[in-house]
Amino acid sequence: MLMSIVVFVLLFSSCMANKVADSLIQKSCKNISDSIIVFTVPHFEYDCIATLKKNPESQKARNIDDLIMVGMNNAVSYLTTVKRIVEKIIKERKYKSSLSKNSLEECLKLYSKSAHMLTSGLNYLKKGNFDKASLEINDADQAPIFCELKFNGDNKQISPVKKENNLLLTMIYIPYVFMLERHYNV
């Protein structure tokens, strides 16, 4: 009997914690989706909610600082994923022209630079230095932006990672805009 009560209390607590985290994610993503920075990003609010909920760590989130950490970890992880996709495209020669290959190689350089910025930003966050973290994260958006410009500029190439770059941009903006909101609402 006692064991049943303990199990019930644990399950009930877990369900309540999930509801608190889900509510925090929904409310926070809705609040930042009106930001001028992400106003033009398609499906920002939906992607914000979906990517945060997908990470099991988000269920432990109790405040905006927790969501910032989850968002940063998501951005770092997804940047690594996109980088691997581009490396695979180059390795398997799945690009349309030598111009596309050159653009993809430039994208890899941009991703490496952004990965360094995100990692540095994450380290500043862990130390509680939100100002330096936001400076690093702010510049990390250059990889998906300039990678797409390499394809959509004069050469009229089609980016094989357009969808991934769009989501990466969103994932970088999530912790950045959360930090801005935190700074101005504290």
Side-chain angles (χ1 to χ4, degrees), residues 19 34 38 42 51 71 108 139 143 146 166 181 186:
K19 286 186 181 205
D34 294 332
V38 298
T51 60
L108 284 177
D139 290 337
F146 289 117
N166 287 339
E181 182 178 287
V186 171

Side-chain angles (χ1 to χ4, degrees), residues 125-155:
L125 275 178
K126 288 176 181 176
K127 295 175 185 174
N129 191 335
F130 286 87
D131 291 335
K132 286 187 178 181
S134 67
L135 290 173
E136 292 290 331
I137 298 164
N138 182 40
D139 290 337
D141 69 352
Q142 293 176 9
I145 291 171
F146 289 117
C147 179
E148 286 305 307
L149 286 175
K150 297 253 177 238
F151 286 93
N152 297 329
D154 294 335
N155 61 30

